[in-house]
């Protein structure tokens, strides 16, 4: 079938993207789903900073590709051998297509499935196939999803079925920002009631960490960003206080206000500076949990001896350490009960044609989640 999609041919073009147009809206060919694959009609796709980092060339990818890895949609066709899904079902996308058979899948860590990492790097679906073409030229799949498009063919394990009464636009954000931010709190850090928590970087991912820290019963939730408006919203969503990372003496001010730092600090900014800040405000005995994905060349240095003497730990969190078929329904249930009001994080609904300007806004730090609605 033919469909409209946002194609990325070159990384690292200059800003503003509304002028350099790294994503071009083109008519591309999408082949039908093969064995173990499904065709979905994309209802909404969120603009995540990871897509922006791809556009900026901080994370090299096989080109051309169609980005987008956070979406909701409706199943339109199923390939042979697909179980548990039928046309008409509503789904949320998952950016790791777990094989279900490897050591990591078997150990309850499907978010780390190396089969998925390999197919991502190759620009294919989990099966090794490509279903996207521009005439004869193959287009690479992005995280097995490529949802900045009207339709997508994906592996069965790249989607989780959701209840049909959940608004699809709200559901889209669960595919990345909610799993990553809330999962970092619940699964990776395992925040317990009374914990002193900070979140550094209050974007779509970080705000979900704030919401989840509140659900987990954290006694203090310190919100840190470089934009004053983000601090104000975080406090409305449950943060107990806010600090600007750019304010001179901010680290000392936070350490003083918390009598020695935080038990758990979650870094969701995606920069080395933010990680250094997060480590500096972590208390002795505490954990710094990083979920940001900065430039692949960046290195983080720690004073080893002090780290030992203070029993500090550094943890990393990918897709919120989630088991998607278990955690997406759990997180949606929290949303249903008003505990994760993620609608507050939607900054706008935009048509495919506005995608480049949308990434300008994300890059300026002015917005949270913008939803691309291909049918607009
Ligand atoms: N680990 C994962 O599985 C995973 C999944 C999704 C996104 N990510 C990464 O998480 C990061 C956040 O994604 P997002 O979509 O929420 O981005 P975003 O652009 O919406 O938010 C980033 C926030 O960090 C703030 N910030 C920038 N520099 C800062 C600093 N030095 N100190 C404090 N705050 C700072 C910005 O003002 C902004 O509010 C990105 O690096 C993204 O690639 C990781
Ligand atoms: Zn993402
Ligand atoms: Zn696996």
């Amino acid at each position: 079938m033919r469909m409209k999609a946002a194609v990325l041919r070159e990384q690292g073009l200059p800003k503003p993207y509304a002028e350099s147009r790294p994503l071009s809206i083109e008519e591309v060919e999408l082949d039908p789903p093969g064995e173990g694959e499904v065709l979905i009609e994309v209802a909404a796709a969120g603009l995540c900073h990871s897509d922006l980092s791809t556009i900026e060339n901080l994370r090299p990818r096989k080109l051309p590709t169609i980005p987008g890895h956070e979406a909701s949609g409706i199943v339109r066709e199923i390939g042979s051998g697909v179980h548990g899904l039928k046309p008409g079902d509503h789904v949320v996308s998952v950016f790791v297509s777990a094989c279900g058979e490897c050591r990591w899948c078997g150990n309850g860590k499907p978010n780390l499935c190396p089969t998925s990492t390999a197919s991502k790097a190759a620009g294919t679906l989990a099966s090794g196939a490509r279903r996207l073409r521009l005439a004869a030229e193959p287009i690479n799949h992005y995280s097995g999803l490529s949802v900045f498009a009207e339709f997508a063919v994906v592996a069965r394990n790249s989607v989780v079925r959701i209840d049909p009464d959940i608004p699809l636009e709200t559901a889209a954000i669960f595919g990345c920002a909610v799993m990553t931010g809330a999962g970092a709190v619940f699964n990776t850090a395992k925040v317990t009631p009374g914990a002193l928590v900070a979140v550094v970087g209050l974007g779509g991912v970080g705000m979900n960490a704030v919401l989840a820290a509140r659900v987990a019963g954290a006694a203090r939730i310190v919100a840190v960003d470089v934009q004053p408006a983000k601090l104000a919203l975080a406090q409305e969503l449950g943060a107990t206080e806010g600090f600007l990372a750019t304010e001179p003496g901010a680290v000392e001010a936070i350490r003083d206000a918390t009598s020695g730092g935080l038990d758990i600090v979650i870094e969701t900014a995606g920069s080395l500076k933010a990680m250094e800040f997060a480590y500096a405000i972590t208390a002795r005995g505490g954990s710094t949990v990083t979920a940001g994905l900065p430039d692949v060349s960046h290195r983080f240095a720690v004073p080893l001896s002090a780290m030992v003497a203070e029993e500090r730990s550094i943890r990393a969190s990918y897709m919120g350490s989630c088991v998607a078929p278990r955690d997406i329904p759990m997180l949606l249930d929290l949303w249903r009960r008003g505990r994760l009001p993620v609608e507050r994080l939607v900054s706008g609904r935009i048509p495919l044609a506005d995608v480049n300007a949308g990434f300008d806004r994300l890059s300026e730090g002015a917005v949270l989640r913008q939803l691309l609605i291909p049918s607009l």
Side-chain angles (χ1 to χ4, degrees):
M1 67 186 287
R2 287 182 78 74
M3 63 157 187
K4 266 200 231 128
V7 182
L8 178 73
R9 299 180 169 285
E10 190 181 347
Q11 295 178 272
L13 288 177
K15 285 189 237 178
Y17 299 128
E19 281 169 26
S20 62
R21 306 192 72 76
L23 294 166
S24 62
I25 310 305
E26 300 179 25
E27 289 266 331
V28 304
E29 282 292 338
L30 181 64
D31 292 334
E35 190 180 346
E37 296 167 0
V38 298
L39 168 72
I40 63 165
E41 182 174 359
V42 177
L47 270 56
C48 172
H49 206 109
S50 300
D51 302 303
L52 177 59
S53 300
T54 300
I55 292 168
E56 292 172 333
N57 201 22
L58 304 187
R59 310 173 67 218
R61 290 281 187 145
K62 267 192 120 167
L63 301 174
T65 189
I66 296 168
H69 64 278
E70 172 186 278
S72 60
I74 302 176
V75 176
R76 291 300 181 206
E77 203 181 318
I78 59 170
S80 60
V82 169
H83 300 288
L85 276 183
K86 57 182 188 316
D89 281 347
H90 290 192
V91 292
V92 167
S93 66
V94 182
F95 60 87
V96 176
S97 175
C99 76
E101 289 170 10
C102 71
R103 198 169 115 199
W104 292 270
C105 286
N107 277 339
K109 298 293 294 175
N111 60 319
L112 302 182
C113 176
T115 312
S116 167
T117 312
S119 56
K120 260 186 202 183
T124 66
L125 295 181
S127 61
R130 285 192 186 76
R131 307 287 175 213
L132 288 161
R133 284 178 293 118
L134 201 64
E137 177 198 17
I139 300 177
N140 295 287
H141 292 264
Y142 186 89
S143 297
L145 293 169
S146 290
V147 287
F148 290 168
E150 292 177 300
F151 293 87
V153 167
V154 303
R156 163 67 184 93
N157 288 351
S158 292
V159 293
V160 168
R161 190 163 59 83
I162 60 165
D163 291 338
D165 64 317
I166 296 167
L168 281 166
E169 292 183 9
T170 303
I173 313 172
F174 285 76
C176 178
V178 184
M179 271 204 286
T180 304
V185 168
F186 296 141
N187 297 331
T188 319
K190 296 191 166 52
V191 171
T192 47
L196 307 189
V197 175
V199 180
V200 179
L202 305 167
V205 176
M207 290 293 187
N208 275 293
V210 169
L211 291 172
R214 185 185 191 176
V215 172
R220 300 273 289 273
I221 305 173
V222 173
V224 180
D225 203 283
V226 292
Q227 308 251 359
K230 297 274 176 78
L231 302 186
L233 177 61
Q235 283 170 279
E236 282 176 36
L237 296 177
T240 54
E241 52 239 284
F243 290 86
L244 278 176
T246 43
E247 200 68 47
V251 166
E252 293 70 31
I254 294 173
R255 293 192 69 92
D256 284 351
T258 53
S259 306
L262 290 306
D263 304 324
I264 289 162
V265 181
I266 307 204
E267 180 278 315
T268 46
S271 88
L272 184 55
K273 261 191 172 167
M275 182 58 186
E276 286 166 349
F277 192 98
Y279 190 76
I281 63 167
T282 307
R284 42 180 60 228
S287 295
T288 315
V289 178
T290 176
L293 291 166
D295 187 314
V296 290
S297 67
H298 287 178
R299 300 285 179 272
F300 176 62
V302 283
L304 275 180
S305 187
M307 184 181 173
V308 171
E310 294 180 8
E311 275 198 359
R312 301 274 294 271
S313 59
I314 298 174
R315 303 215 44 195
S317 183
Y318 189 61
M319 205 172 80
S321 312
C322 283
V323 177
R326 176 194 73 188
D327 291 337
I328 287 179
M330 179 273 288
L331 295 165
L332 280 165
D333 184 56
L334 284 172
W335 167 80
R336 236 186 235 293
R337 291 189 279 133
R339 312 282 303 277
L340 285 180
V342 304
E343 305 89 339
R344 298 285 306 274
L345 312 182
V346 176
S347 303
R349 304 163 73 245
I350 60 176
L352 269 177
D354 198 22
V355 66
N356 290 299
F359 279 110
D360 282 324
R361 289 188 285 270
L362 183 63
S363 145
E364 285 153 15
V367 289
L368 289 165
R369 270 321 196 241
Q370 302 171 88
L371 293 177
L372 203 60
I373 313 287
S375 61
L376 279 182

